[in-house]
Amino acid sequence: QQQVKQSPQSLIVQKGGISIINCAYENTAFDYFPWYQQFPGKGPALLIAIRPDVSEKKEGRFTISFNKSAKQFSLHIMDSQPGDSATYFCAASKDSGYALNFGKGTSLLVTP
Amino acid sequence: KAGVTQTPRYLIKTRGQQVTLSCSPISGHRSVSWYQQTPGQGLQFLFEYFSETQRNKGNFPGRFSGRQFSNSRSEMNVSTLELGDSALYLCASSLFGPRDTGELFFGEGSRLTVL
């Protein structure tokens, strides 16, 4: 079964707006939560990642918010740009390993 | 620095055949993972290799197998192909070691179509 649930499936945001993608997990053994970005015809690429000892991590326009008690984490993209249009995947793993459990992805379209 | 290289990029097979996909990791990376990507199931973990040993395996039937060579290059094999095996197969490499941040570096994938 899907161990990481991601929503929404698709998202349309105007340029300059905030894009928000949410993920939820059940397994409390997960200790590493990355977000990957994938453009058509390319493999996913790491965007930003967080571990459960912090509640928020910011890198440029991208911020992960992490709520350990609710078992939820989210990606916020500030000042969204057309170049951000891609599919975003949240993921989780335990023992900080490479066996990532991915969400089903969110297709983001940023309109000019 | 060259990225992860996967070959072939595209292939078409028929049901019952077998297929071998190849992956060359980034130079210096010692761990290789494989993922299957389909529109319905998304990205699913197949297996991970380090030092020629399978460290983790996902929930796939035994028809899916892999191996890693001493130079860290990896291959995966799918035997007795089924229509549902049509997918993009992604290989990812990682450093594995004290400087490892946990990041997976993905190749562009091998797109398999089973007819």
Side-chain angles (χ1 to χ4, degrees):
Chain A
Q1 72 279 19
Q2 199 77 19
Q3 294 205 49
V4 178
K5 294 195 168 109
Q6 183 173 347
S7 62
Q9 191 174 344
S10 62
L11 183 61
I12 300 175
V13 172
Q14 281 195 327
K15 179 182 173 182
I18 303 173
S19 304
I20 302 174
I21 305 171
N22 301 299
C23 286
Y25 65 97
E26 285 299 324
N27 191 340
T28 55
F30 289 152
D31 62 359
Y32 177 64
F33 302 87
W35 285 87
Y36 279 81
Q37 178 190 56
Q38 186 177 29
F39 292 103
K42 301 293 185 183
L46 180 68
L47 196 59
I48 186 172
I50 198 168
R51 297 186 192 272
D53 51 341
V54 295
S55 60
E56 187 174 280
K57 183 174 180 180
K58 185 175 179 179
E59 288 184 2
R61 296 184 294 110
F62 302 92
T63 300
I64 298 180
S65 296
F66 183 79
N67 186 329
K68 190 172 180 178
S69 60
K71 291 185 283 186
Q72 294 175 348
F73 58 111
S74 59
L75 175 70
H76 290 61
I77 305 174
M78 312 300 287
D79 187 28
S80 298
Q81 299 296 313
D84 297 331
S85 298
T87 301
Y88 292 80
F89 294 93
C90 61
S93 70
K94 53 186 180 180
D95 303 323
S96 302
Y98 303 128
L100 292 177
N101 297 273
F102 280 94
K104 288 207 170 183
T106 296
S107 178
L108 171 66
L109 176 64
V110 181
T111 59
Chain B
K1 203 175 197 179
V4 176
T5 304
Q6 292 189 244
T7 57
R9 290 293 314 280
Y10 303 91
L11 65 166
I12 300 174
K13 293 285 186 178
T14 56
R15 277 182 301 174
Q17 286 187 312
Q18 74 165 14
V19 66
T20 299
L21 308 177
S22 180
C23 173
S24 292
I26 292 172
S27 177
H29 284 194
R30 300 190 293 158
S31 170
V32 173
S33 307
W34 288 89
Y35 288 80
Q36 181 195 63
Q37 186 172 24
T38 59
Q41 297 300 317
L43 282 154
Q44 293 189 287
F45 172 73
L46 280 157
F47 22 66
E48 183 227 334
Y49 289 88
F50 168 73
S51 194
E52 302 176 67
T53 301
Q54 187 180 87
R55 289 207 320 147
N56 284 297
K57 188 178 192 306
N59 189 25
F60 278 82
R63 300 185 296 108
F64 291 80
S65 63
R67 59 178 176 166
Q68 186 183 33
F69 302 95
S70 57
N71 60 359
S72 295
R73 195 176 68 83
S74 178
E75 287 181 349
M76 68 163 282
N77 183 276
V78 188
S79 62
T80 320
L81 284 166
E82 300 176 0
L83 295 178
D85 297 333
S86 294
L88 181 67
Y89 290 88
L90 290 160
C91 169
S93 73
S94 336
L95 256 178
F96 198 101
R99 294 182 296 120
D100 184 16
T101 60
E103 180 174 359
L104 290 178
F105 294 81
F106 283 88
E108 294 188 336
S110 293
R111 183 163 297 282
L112 170 65
T113 301
V114 182
L115 301 176

Short mmCIF file of all heavy atoms in Angstrom, two decimals, chain A residues 2 32 36 38 41-46 51 89 96-104, chain B residues 9 31 33 35 37 40 43 45 48 55 90 94 96 100-104 106-108:
data_model
loop_
_atom_site.label_atom_id
_atom_site.label_comp_id
_atom_site.label_asym_id
_atom_site.label_seq_id
_atom_site.Cartn_x
_atom_site.Cartn_y
_atom_site.Cartn_z
N GLN A 2 0.29 2.35 -0.44
CA GLN A 2 1.04 3.58 -0.54
C GLN A 2 1.39 4.06 0.88
O GLN A 2 0.50 4.34 1.68
CB GLN A 2 0.18 4.64 -1.25
CG GLN A 2 0.94 5.81 -1.82
CD GLN A 2 1.66 5.49 -3.12
OE1 GLN A 2 1.33 4.52 -3.80
NE2 GLN A 2 2.65 6.28 -3.46
N TYR A 32 13.74 10.41 7.16
CA TYR A 32 14.31 11.25 6.10
C TYR A 32 13.21 11.54 5.11
O TYR A 32 12.52 10.62 4.64
CB TYR A 32 15.47 10.50 5.44
CG TYR A 32 16.11 11.22 4.27
CD1 TYR A 32 16.77 12.44 4.44
CD2 TYR A 32 16.09 10.66 3.00
CE1 TYR A 32 17.36 13.09 3.36
CE2 TYR A 32 16.68 11.30 1.92
CZ TYR A 32 17.31 12.52 2.11
OH TYR A 32 17.90 13.16 1.04
N TYR A 36 11.51 15.63 -4.46
CA TYR A 36 12.17 15.53 -5.75
C TYR A 36 11.33 16.26 -6.80
O TYR A 36 10.10 16.26 -6.74
CB TYR A 36 12.39 14.07 -6.15
CG TYR A 36 13.61 13.45 -5.50
CD1 TYR A 36 13.56 12.98 -4.19
CD2 TYR A 36 14.81 13.36 -6.20
CE1 TYR A 36 14.69 12.43 -3.60
CE2 TYR A 36 15.94 12.82 -5.62
CZ TYR A 36 15.87 12.36 -4.31
OH TYR A 36 17.00 11.82 -3.72
N GLN A 38 10.72 16.62 -11.00
CA GLN A 38 10.97 15.91 -12.25
C GLN A 38 10.38 16.68 -13.42
O GLN A 38 9.19 17.00 -13.43
CB GLN A 38 10.37 14.50 -12.20
CG GLN A 38 10.70 13.65 -13.42
CD GLN A 38 10.16 12.23 -13.31
OE1 GLN A 38 9.15 11.99 -12.66
NE2 GLN A 38 10.85 11.28 -13.94
N GLY A 41 10.80 13.86 -19.45
CA GLY A 41 11.95 13.25 -20.11
C GLY A 41 13.20 13.18 -19.27
O GLY A 41 14.25 12.73 -19.75
N LYS A 42 13.11 13.62 -18.04
CA LYS A 42 14.28 13.62 -17.15
C LYS A 42 14.00 12.77 -15.92
O LYS A 42 12.85 12.49 -15.57
CB LYS A 42 14.61 15.05 -16.69
CG LYS A 42 14.91 16.02 -17.82
CD LYS A 42 16.18 15.66 -18.52
CE LYS A 42 16.54 16.69 -19.58
NZ LYS A 42 17.77 16.29 -20.33
N GLY A 43 15.06 12.36 -15.24
CA GLY A 43 14.89 11.69 -13.98
C GLY A 43 14.62 12.70 -12.87
O GLY A 43 14.90 13.88 -13.02
N PRO A 44 14.06 12.24 -11.76
CA PRO A 44 13.83 13.16 -10.63
C PRO A 44 15.16 13.72 -10.11
O PRO A 44 16.20 13.06 -10.18
CB PRO A 44 13.17 12.26 -9.58
CG PRO A 44 12.66 11.08 -10.33
CD PRO A 44 13.60 10.88 -11.48
N ALA A 45 15.09 14.93 -9.56
CA ALA A 45 16.28 15.56 -8.97
C ALA A 45 15.90 16.10 -7.59
O ALA A 45 14.80 16.66 -7.42
CB ALA A 45 16.79 16.68 -9.85
N LEU A 46 16.79 15.90 -6.64
CA LEU A 46 16.50 16.36 -5.28
C LEU A 46 16.36 17.87 -5.24
O LEU A 46 17.20 18.61 -5.75
CB LEU A 46 17.62 15.93 -4.33
CG LEU A 46 17.43 16.35 -2.87
CD1 LEU A 46 16.26 15.60 -2.25
CD2 LEU A 46 18.71 16.10 -2.07
N ARG A 51 14.99 16.29 7.99
CA ARG A 51 14.97 15.19 8.93
C ARG A 51 14.09 15.61 10.11
O ARG A 51 13.92 16.81 10.34
CB ARG A 51 16.40 14.84 9.36
CG ARG A 51 17.23 14.36 8.17
CD ARG A 51 18.60 13.87 8.54
NE ARG A 51 19.41 13.69 7.33
CZ ARG A 51 19.44 12.57 6.62
NH1 ARG A 51 18.74 11.54 6.99
NH2 ARG A 51 20.20 12.48 5.53
N PHE A 89 7.54 15.20 -6.25
CA PHE A 89 7.32 14.00 -5.47
C PHE A 89 7.85 14.19 -4.06
O PHE A 89 9.00 14.58 -3.87
CB PHE A 89 8.05 12.80 -6.09
CG PHE A 89 7.55 12.39 -7.44
CD1 PHE A 89 8.14 12.90 -8.59
CD2 PHE A 89 6.50 11.49 -7.56
CE1 PHE A 89 7.69 12.52 -9.84
CE2 PHE A 89 6.06 11.10 -8.81
CZ PHE A 89 6.65 11.62 -9.95
N SER A 96 17.50 6.58 7.20
CA SER A 96 18.08 7.51 6.21
C SER A 96 18.57 6.77 4.98
O SER A 96 19.59 7.12 4.40
CB SER A 96 19.24 8.29 6.85
OG SER A 96 18.79 9.01 7.98
N GLY A 97 17.84 5.72 4.61
CA GLY A 97 18.30 4.88 3.52
C GLY A 97 17.87 5.34 2.15
O GLY A 97 17.20 6.35 1.98
N TYR A 98 18.24 4.54 1.19
CA TYR A 98 17.97 4.87 -0.20
C TYR A 98 16.69 4.22 -0.71
O TYR A 98 16.31 4.43 -1.85
CB TYR A 98 19.14 4.43 -1.08
CG TYR A 98 20.46 5.03 -0.66
CD1 TYR A 98 21.57 4.23 -0.45
CD2 TYR A 98 20.60 6.39 -0.46
CE1 TYR A 98 22.78 4.77 -0.07
CE2 TYR A 98 21.82 6.94 -0.08
CZ TYR A 98 22.90 6.12 0.12
OH TYR A 98 24.10 6.66 0.50
N ALA A 99 16.03 3.42 0.11
CA ALA A 99 14.76 2.79 -0.29
C ALA A 99 13.65 3.79 -0.01
O ALA A 99 12.97 3.74 1.01
CB ALA A 99 14.55 1.51 0.50
N LEU A 100 13.48 4.72 -0.95
CA LEU A 100 12.50 5.78 -0.75
C LEU A 100 11.09 5.30 -1.06
O LEU A 100 10.86 4.61 -2.05
CB LEU A 100 12.84 6.97 -1.65
CG LEU A 100 14.12 7.74 -1.31
CD1 LEU A 100 14.35 8.84 -2.34
CD2 LEU A 100 14.04 8.34 0.08
N ASN A 101 10.17 5.71 -0.21
CA ASN A 101 8.74 5.52 -0.46
C ASN A 101 8.20 6.84 -1.00
O ASN A 101 8.15 7.83 -0.26
CB ASN A 101 8.01 5.16 0.83
CG ASN A 101 8.49 3.85 1.41
OD1 ASN A 101 8.01 2.78 1.06
ND2 ASN A 101 9.48 3.93 2.30
N PHE A 102 7.85 6.85 -2.26
CA PHE A 102 7.42 8.09 -2.91
C PHE A 102 5.91 8.28 -2.83
O PHE A 102 5.14 7.30 -2.86
CB PHE A 102 7.82 8.07 -4.39
CG PHE A 102 9.26 8.41 -4.65
CD1 PHE A 102 10.22 7.42 -4.76
CD2 PHE A 102 9.66 9.73 -4.80
CE1 PHE A 102 11.56 7.73 -5.01
CE2 PHE A 102 10.99 10.07 -5.05
CZ PHE A 102 11.94 9.06 -5.15
N GLY A 103 5.49 9.54 -2.76
CA GLY A 103 4.10 9.87 -3.01
C GLY A 103 3.84 9.76 -4.50
O GLY A 103 4.78 9.58 -5.29
N LYS A 104 2.59 9.88 -4.91
CA LYS A 104 2.25 9.66 -6.32
C LYS A 104 2.53 10.88 -7.20
O LYS A 104 2.35 10.79 -8.42
CB LYS A 104 0.79 9.23 -6.44
CG LYS A 104 0.57 7.81 -5.95
CD LYS A 104 -0.60 7.14 -6.63
CE LYS A 104 -0.62 5.67 -6.28
NZ LYS A 104 -1.68 4.94 -6.97
N ARG B 9 17.94 3.46 -23.73
CA ARG B 9 16.96 4.47 -23.32
C ARG B 9 15.54 4.02 -23.63
O ARG B 9 14.60 4.33 -22.91
CB ARG B 9 17.25 5.80 -24.00
CG ARG B 9 18.51 6.51 -23.54
CD ARG B 9 18.40 6.99 -22.08
NE ARG B 9 17.16 7.66 -21.79
CZ ARG B 9 16.88 8.93 -22.10
NH1 ARG B 9 17.78 9.67 -22.73
NH2 ARG B 9 15.72 9.47 -21.78
N SER B 31 26.72 3.25 -4.30
CA SER B 31 25.42 2.61 -4.13
C SER B 31 24.56 2.88 -5.36
O SER B 31 24.57 3.99 -5.91
CB SER B 31 24.72 3.17 -2.89
OG SER B 31 23.38 2.74 -2.83
N SER B 33 20.55 2.28 -6.84
CA SER B 33 19.17 1.88 -6.57
C SER B 33 18.39 1.87 -7.88
O SER B 33 18.73 2.61 -8.81
CB SER B 33 18.49 2.86 -5.61
OG SER B 33 19.25 3.06 -4.44
N TYR B 35 14.35 2.04 -9.52
CA TYR B 35 12.96 2.37 -9.29
C TYR B 35 12.16 2.15 -10.57
O TYR B 35 12.67 2.34 -11.67
CB TYR B 35 12.80 3.84 -8.86
CG TYR B 35 13.28 4.11 -7.45
CD1 TYR B 35 14.63 4.27 -7.17
CD2 TYR B 35 12.38 4.18 -6.40
CE1 TYR B 35 15.07 4.50 -5.88
CE2 TYR B 35 12.81 4.41 -5.09
CZ TYR B 35 14.16 4.56 -4.86
OH TYR B 35 14.59 4.79 -3.57
N GLN B 37 8.81 3.46 -12.57
CA GLN B 37 7.86 4.57 -12.61
C GLN B 37 6.76 4.30 -13.62
O GLN B 37 7.03 4.08 -14.81
CB GLN B 37 8.56 5.89 -12.95
CG GLN B 37 7.62 7.11 -12.86
CD GLN B 37 8.34 8.44 -13.00
OE1 GLN B 37 9.43 8.54 -13.58
NE2 GLN B 37 7.74 9.49 -12.47
N GLY B 40 0.23 4.91 -13.09
CA GLY B 40 -0.72 4.48 -12.06
C GLY B 40 -0.13 4.34 -10.69
O GLY B 40 -0.73 4.74 -9.69
N LEU B 43 6.36 6.17 -8.51
CA LEU B 43 7.73 5.67 -8.36
C LEU B 43 7.76 4.60 -7.27
O LEU B 43 7.40 4.86 -6.13
CB LEU B 43 8.66 6.81 -7.95
CG LEU B 43 9.11 7.76 -9.05
CD1 LEU B 43 9.45 9.13 -8.48
CD2 LEU B 43 10.34 7.17 -9.75
N PHE B 45 10.17 1.57 -5.40
CA PHE B 45 11.51 1.07 -5.15
C PHE B 45 11.61 -0.41 -5.53
O PHE B 45 10.78 -1.24 -5.11
CB PHE B 45 11.85 1.26 -3.68
CG PHE B 45 13.13 0.61 -3.24
CD1 PHE B 45 14.36 1.13 -3.61
CD2 PHE B 45 13.10 -0.53 -2.45
CE1 PHE B 45 15.54 0.54 -3.21
CE2 PHE B 45 14.27 -1.13 -2.04
CZ PHE B 45 15.50 -0.61 -2.41
N GLU B 48 18.29 -2.03 -4.04
CA GLU B 48 19.47 -1.18 -3.86
C GLU B 48 20.69 -2.06 -3.65
O GLU B 48 20.62 -3.08 -2.95
CB GLU B 48 19.30 -0.25 -2.67
CG GLU B 48 20.48 0.71 -2.48
CD GLU B 48 20.97 0.78 -1.05
OE1 GLU B 48 20.19 0.51 -0.12
OE2 GLU B 48 22.17 1.10 -0.85
N ARG B 55 21.23 -4.61 -0.67
CA ARG B 55 20.99 -4.18 0.71
C ARG B 55 19.51 -4.11 1.03
O ARG B 55 19.11 -4.32 2.17
CB ARG B 55 21.61 -2.79 0.94
CG ARG B 55 23.11 -2.76 0.98
CD ARG B 55 23.62 -1.59 1.81
NE ARG B 55 22.87 -0.38 1.62
CZ ARG B 55 22.66 0.53 2.57
NH1 ARG B 55 23.14 0.34 3.77
NH2 ARG B 55 21.98 1.62 2.31
N LEU B 90 14.14 3.59 -13.62
CA LEU B 90 15.11 4.62 -13.23
C LEU B 90 16.18 4.04 -12.34
O LEU B 90 15.90 3.31 -11.39
CB LEU B 90 14.39 5.76 -12.50
CG LEU B 90 13.48 6.63 -13.35
CD1 LEU B 90 12.48 7.37 -12.47
CD2 LEU B 90 14.28 7.62 -14.17
N SER B 94 24.28 6.88 -5.40
CA SER B 94 24.53 7.66 -4.20
C SER B 94 25.96 7.41 -3.74
O SER B 94 26.54 6.37 -4.04
CB SER B 94 23.58 7.27 -3.07
OG SER B 94 22.41 6.70 -3.54
N PHE B 96 27.28 6.97 -0.58
CA PHE B 96 27.42 5.98 0.49
C PHE B 96 28.76 6.15 1.19
O PHE B 96 29.80 5.74 0.71
CB PHE B 96 27.31 4.55 -0.03
CG PHE B 96 27.01 3.57 1.08
CD1 PHE B 96 25.74 3.10 1.28
CD2 PHE B 96 28.01 3.13 1.94
CE1 PHE B 96 25.45 2.21 2.30
CE2 PHE B 96 27.73 2.23 2.96
CZ PHE B 96 26.45 1.77 3.14
N ASP B 100 28.11 11.32 2.54
CA ASP B 100 26.81 11.10 1.90
C ASP B 100 25.73 11.93 2.57
O ASP B 100 25.58 11.90 3.80
CB ASP B 100 26.47 9.60 1.99
CG ASP B 100 25.19 9.28 1.26
OD1 ASP B 100 24.73 10.10 0.46
OD2 ASP B 100 24.65 8.19 1.51
N THR B 101 24.97 12.66 1.76
CA THR B 101 23.87 13.47 2.30
C THR B 101 22.54 12.74 2.17
O THR B 101 21.52 13.23 2.62
CB THR B 101 23.76 14.80 1.52
OG1 THR B 101 23.51 14.50 0.15
CG2 THR B 101 25.03 15.62 1.66
N GLY B 102 22.55 11.58 1.55
CA GLY B 102 21.31 10.84 1.33
C GLY B 102 20.69 11.12 -0.02
O GLY B 102 19.68 10.51 -0.38
N GLU B 103 21.31 12.03 -0.78
CA GLU B 103 20.72 12.38 -2.07
C GLU B 103 20.89 11.27 -3.09
O GLU B 103 21.97 10.69 -3.23
CB GLU B 103 21.38 13.66 -2.59
CG GLU B 103 20.85 14.11 -3.94
CD GLU B 103 21.41 15.45 -4.38
OE1 GLU B 103 22.21 16.04 -3.63
OE2 GLU B 103 21.03 15.92 -5.47
N LEU B 104 19.82 11.00 -3.80
CA LEU B 104 19.85 10.08 -4.93
C LEU B 104 20.01 10.90 -6.21
O LEU B 104 19.31 11.89 -6.40
CB LEU B 104 18.56 9.28 -5.02
CG LEU B 104 18.29 8.22 -3.95
CD1 LEU B 104 16.94 7.58 -4.21
CD2 LEU B 104 19.38 7.19 -3.93
N PHE B 106 19.48 10.58 -10.06
CA PHE B 106 18.79 9.71 -11.01
C PHE B 106 19.30 9.88 -12.43
O PHE B 106 19.67 10.98 -12.85
CB PHE B 106 17.28 10.01 -11.01
CG PHE B 106 16.54 9.45 -9.84
CD1 PHE B 106 16.43 10.17 -8.66
CD2 PHE B 106 15.94 8.20 -9.92
CE1 PHE B 106 15.73 9.66 -7.58
CE2 PHE B 106 15.23 7.68 -8.85
CZ PHE B 106 15.13 8.41 -7.66
N GLY B 107 19.27 8.78 -13.17
CA GLY B 107 19.47 8.83 -14.60
C GLY B 107 18.16 9.21 -15.29
O GLY B 107 17.15 9.46 -14.62
N GLU B 108 18.19 9.24 -16.60
CA GLU B 108 16.98 9.62 -17.36
C GLU B 108 16.06 8.43 -17.61
O GLU B 108 14.96 8.60 -18.11
CB GLU B 108 17.37 10.31 -18.66
CG GLU B 108 18.05 11.65 -18.41
CD GLU B 108 18.26 12.45 -19.69
OE1 GLU B 108 18.32 11.86 -20.78
OE2 GLU B 108 18.37 13.70 -19.59
#
